[in-house]
Amino acid sequence: MSGLNRSTRAARSRTLIATTLLLAVMSVLIPFKATASYTQTQHPIVLVHGLFGFDSVVGVDYFYRIPEELRRSGARVYVAQVSAANSTEVRGEQLARQVEDILAATGASKVNLMGHSHGGPTIRYVASVYPHMVASASSVAGVNWGAPMADVLQGVSDHIPLSSSVIAGLGNSFAGLINLISGGGQQQDINAALRSLTTAETLRFNNDHPEGMPTSYCGNGAAVGPNGVRYYSWSGGRTLTNMLDVSDPFLAALSVVFLGEKNDGLVSSCSSRLGHVIRDDYRMNHLDEVNHMLGLRHIFETSPVTVFRQQANRLRNAGL
């Protein structure tokens, strides 16, 4: 009888060990499977740069490390290349043609657009004019109520002799250089870009393309526009975020035009608001938001890469 009991106990022990091992393996594989599809949206993601932006220059991406991290867990990601400097409408039409190519190449019916800075109004234009191609528009520090610095430069251009030519010469030369080394091949027009980013011109643009926009400054807009597109936004509210980042003092100096209003150095937090506002107060400046300067950021803030991954997961969970 004792031998039988020992045999039974041994069998139960082997079963317990096997069950424990199975649960251990499942605890590893199940999270891995979930992580592997964390950013796997139904529709491809298209990233759109801002003023003086690019897709990649000498091996450094505008959206630094963001496309590959999104792809790592399932997303199909494309980085658009529109004019480094031009009007919102011109950039929007350039983006629309690239979206058409992406849809043709992938067989997808729509895309999820994510635009930074001037890329915000650019993706809003495409979502408004070509809503059949767009599932969602995520604005990252988008210039949705105008940029004070653009107002300043436009005022200088309008009232000081020869300044318009100087601004155009310097701006177009810089944009042309970016275009050349990034292989863009797009037309540049800095004066058209600055006009698009002024408060007056932005308000006109909002009247023509109101989807997702708050009805008042610093308000909340509709998460889903009448065109069926879902709108999201997020932005930072700091300028000095990392003592090793040489761009921080420059952005801090530019922020004086906001007269104390919360901003990221180039765009106010209130101006960035569109649709479902995820946050407008990350401890990030205008370059941190897309992980610029090789990922230097505030050590106590979420990584910008993680913020993009979270947004992709949000889109995935919404069936987009």
Side-chain angles (χ1 to χ4, degrees):
M1 180 66 69
S2 61
L4 180 59
N5 288 339
R6 283 196 297 270
S7 177
T8 301
R9 287 197 297 269
R12 287 177 179 173
S13 179
R14 287 193 294 270
T15 301
L16 179 60
I17 292 172
T19 302
T20 302
L21 289 174
L22 178 60
L23 291 174
V25 170
M26 290 177 64
S27 69
V28 172
L29 293 181
I30 290 176
F32 176 78
K33 182 178 180 180
T35 301
S37 61
Y38 182 76
T39 60
Q40 191 173 345
T41 55
Q42 177 181 342
H43 306 292
I45 293 172
V46 181
L47 303 175
V48 184
H49 63 75
L51 179 67
F52 294 132
F54 48 87
D55 55 354
S56 181
V57 169
V58 295
V60 178
D61 296 333
Y62 180 92
F63 294 91
Y64 183 66
R65 289 187 53 237
I66 291 170
E68 54 265 45
E69 286 300 312
L70 291 174
R71 294 183 185 117
R72 182 176 60 83
S73 46
R76 291 174 293 172
V77 183
Y78 296 84
V79 182
Q81 182 157 6
V82 297
S83 291
N86 217 315
S87 71
T88 300
E89 290 80 2
V90 168
R91 285 165 49 97
E93 286 297 326
Q94 293 170 350
L95 175 60
R97 303 291 80 77
Q98 292 175 49
V99 169
E100 289 173 341
D101 291 342
I102 291 168
L103 296 180
T106 62
S109 59
K110 296 182 177 183
V111 296
N112 292 304
L113 297 174
M114 296 185 182
H116 175 244
S117 192
H118 196 185
T122 303
I123 65 172
R124 286 177 51 208
Y125 173 88
V126 176
S128 179
V129 178
Y130 305 99
H132 61 284
M133 299 195 302
V134 182
S136 71
S138 299
S139 174
V140 186
V143 189
N144 296 317
W145 285 87
M149 184 53 65
D151 291 337
V152 170
L153 291 175
Q154 190 66 50
V156 169
S157 176
D158 290 343
H159 297 100
I160 297 180
L162 302 179
S163 60
S164 178
S165 297
V166 172
I167 292 173
L170 293 174
N172 288 333
S173 295
F174 184 51
L177 176 62
I178 292 173
N179 183 68
L180 176 65
I181 60 180
S182 64
Q186 305 284 9
Q187 180 183 1
Q188 311 299 324
D189 187 342
I190 186 61
N191 284 332
L194 290 177
R195 280 195 300 273
S196 284
L197 295 173
T198 60
T199 301
E201 186 63 16
T202 300
L203 293 178
R204 180 204 63 78
F205 178 84
N206 291 346
N207 186 63
D208 293 340
H209 309 286
E211 298 88 354
M213 279 299 300
T215 56
S216 61
Y217 186 65
C218 222
N220 293 302
V224 182
N227 54 3
V229 177
R230 289 180 182 261
Y231 289 87
Y232 302 86
S233 63
W234 72 87
S235 65
R238 293 281 190 93
T239 53
L240 297 171
T241 60
N242 191 302
M243 62 183 298
L244 299 178
D245 190 338
V246 296
S247 68
D248 279 20
F250 175 68
L251 290 171
L254 292 178
S255 72
V256 299
V257 300
F258 292 96
L259 303 177
E261 182 181 1
K262 185 172 61 176
N263 68 90
D264 66 2
L266 288 175
V267 177
S268 73
S269 295
C270 287
S271 180
S272 73
R273 297 174 70 87
L274 178 77
H276 173 198
V277 180
I278 296 163
R279 274 185 65 179
D280 66 0
D281 60 351
Y282 283 106
R283 285 172 288 194
M284 299 178 187
N285 61 36
H286 201 67
L287 300 184
D288 295 340
E289 291 151 351
V290 288
N291 209 35
H292 255 333
M293 305 307 290
L294 304 180
L296 290 174
R297 58 182 173 84
H298 197 290
I299 61 173
F300 296 118
E301 185 54 272
T302 306
S303 165
V305 177
T306 298
V307 175
F308 273 87
R309 282 174 50 81
Q310 290 171 339
Q311 176 61 2
N313 180 255
R314 188 176 289 110
L315 298 176
R316 175 185 181 275
N317 292 339
L320 303 175

